[in-house]
Amino acid sequence: MSVFILSNRKIVRHKGEKEDSFSNDEYSIPNFRIAKCDFDGYKDANPTRKKKDYTNRNILDYKLFSEPEKQGYEDVLEVLLSEKGLKKSNLTADNLGGTQRMFYELYKNMSSTKKRSDVLLFIHGYAYDFDDELKAIIDLKKLFIDQPESPIEHILFVSWPASSSLVPLTYFDDKASSINSGTSLMRLFYFYTQFLKDIFSNRDLVPCNQRIHLMAHSMGNRVLQSMLYSLKRENILRVIDQVLLLNADVTYKVFDDSEDSFNKLPLLANRVSIYLNRKDTILGISQFTKNILTPRLGKNGPGDIEALKDIVSVIDCTFIDNDLKKTLKFEIGNHWGYLSSSQVQDDIFQNLNGIDRNLITGRRKETENIFTIIS
């Protein structure tokens, strides 16, 4: 099990600390830095602990990887071959930095088992400072790694500097930051495809045959959209199994050819699932205040996806029961079904396990590619 943070947040050194940390500031840098979370000594927060003491590594410990000494993945290949006894080298994993170290560790872990050892790339929504992201990582680990129904064993958490307030105006200030972060995510995608080419060009190394899934919630879909805008079709490899778009705060026309963004997802992934809730209050605010009355994908569903219906499914979560989270935020917001509803979680687990969309239980089939989660 491993959980990595991919962040384009500013790097700071907090008073009294010996290591660099990610900042809570709403400011982005051009490239992602990589950190690995340490759950070995993790304990749930003491509810009596003062809020001011419950920050940064007091929430969850993590360690930033060093920047790589040189670009590319030749050193990763050399370390892997050396560990197999196929090449003599003084290089070790400690010489690897950034994405080199992350891809190395993931490949080692995923190829060392015949069990499902899938990776989930998760992009969060709006109103998260870094401390909020650390709490979200803990929740995601409990949900996707600790649950036996889930095939996920590793999480890559995309940390982008959203506003730290739930005030509606800040919700929309996150647009620019999501665009910048999408560009960083695009570079990460190219790094990953380069890693695959560099490593598996050697016949002594074979793919691990595990799967990678991508999940974007709310405004995290704008980060994904920005990445897709930048990707050139001829450079896209199908390296993702399942893409799950949760309560997406993007226009309902995002799959149209004129948008030239989400219509690229079938080139990237085997299956795309749109989870929507027609009672989503948060997306209602987004639609009627700052998006010129443009319906949102996660509330109204997509426009014309006839040409993509073999790959793209719509899952209507309007009638779910928020049985896991009973607070006003979840009951009124109807925006976090993946956290608040066991029905949505069960549907997601079946999706990630690759069950045919027509055989997933707890659904009612409306059309060839539209389903409703039922009680």
Side-chain angles (χ1 to χ4, degrees), residues 45-254:
N46 184 341
T48 63
R49 184 182 297 178
K50 294 181 181 179
K51 187 175 181 180
K52 67 181 181 66
D53 296 328
Y54 187 45
T55 60
N56 201 36
R57 288 185 172 83
N58 291 324
I59 300 173
L60 177 63
D61 194 20
Y62 61 92
K63 184 175 181 60
L64 276 157
F65 287 161
S66 62
E67 289 287 80
E69 296 177 5
K70 63 180 182 180
Q71 299 301 311
Y73 299 96
E74 293 178 0
D75 285 354
V76 180
L77 177 60
E78 186 171 325
V79 171
L80 289 171
L81 292 176
S82 175
E83 290 176 346
K84 281 179 168 288
L86 300 173
K87 183 176 183 177
K88 291 186 178 181
S89 174
N90 293 323
L91 289 179
T92 68
D94 291 336
N95 296 110
L96 306 176
T99 58
Q100 296 173 346
R101 182 62 181 261
M102 180 177 71
F103 293 153
Y104 162 83
E105 292 195 11
L106 286 173
Y107 175 72
K108 289 278 289 185
N109 291 331
M110 296 167 72
S111 59
S112 65
T113 178
K114 293 182 180 180
K115 297 180 180 179
R116 287 291 296 275
S117 181
D118 291 1
V119 172
L120 176 65
L121 179 69
F122 185 90
I123 312 174
H124 69 79
Y126 83 109
Y128 280 71
D129 63 19
F130 185 67
D131 287 347
D132 293 327
E133 290 174 349
L134 290 175
K135 297 169 192 174
I137 288 171
I138 294 168
D139 288 339
L140 289 172
K141 190 256 187 186
K142 292 177 180 177
L143 174 57
F144 289 109
I145 295 179
D146 296 347
Q147 291 286 349
E149 299 90 349
S150 170
I152 302 301
E153 191 173 0
H154 314 282
I155 293 175
L156 310 185
F157 186 90
V158 178
S159 157
W160 59 282
S163 301
S164 57
S165 171
L166 284 171
V167 176
L169 288 178
T170 66
Y171 177 90
F172 309 105
D173 289 341
D174 288 345
K175 289 183 181 179
S177 182
S178 67
I179 292 171
N180 295 336
S181 301
T183 304
S184 298
L185 191 62
M186 180 268 295
R187 284 194 287 269
L188 178 74
F189 172 80
Y190 284 136
F191 288 155
Y192 178 62
T193 56
Q194 186 61 51
F195 168 80
L196 295 178
K197 292 175 183 177
D198 288 351
I199 298 304
F200 299 126
S201 61
N202 188 292
R203 294 182 179 180
D204 293 309
L205 299 175
V206 296
C208 62
N209 295 320
Q210 306 291 353
R211 290 176 280 189
I212 299 175
H213 312 288
L214 190 155
M215 184 180 295
H217 177 247
S218 189
M219 199 174 283
N221 285 268
R222 295 193 183 207
V223 177
L224 177 60
Q225 184 181 27
S226 176
M227 169 189 140
L228 292 168
Y229 277 143
S230 304
L231 283 180
K232 298 184 182 297
R233 289 178 177 272
E234 59 269 23
N235 294 334
I236 298 178
L237 299 178
R238 185 174 281 112
V239 293
I240 304 294
D241 185 35
Q242 308 289 329
V243 171
L244 282 68
L245 311 176
L246 311 177
N247 303 78
D249 186 16
V250 288
T251 171
Y252 76 110
K253 294 184 177 181
V254 76

Side-chain angles (χ1 to χ4, degrees), residues 126 171 218 279-287 332-333 335-336:
Y126 83 109
Y171 177 90
S218 189
K279 295 180 181 179
D280 192 315
T281 305
I282 303 300
L283 294 183
I285 295 172
S286 173
Q287 176 179 334
I332 301 298
H335 189 62
W336 296 272

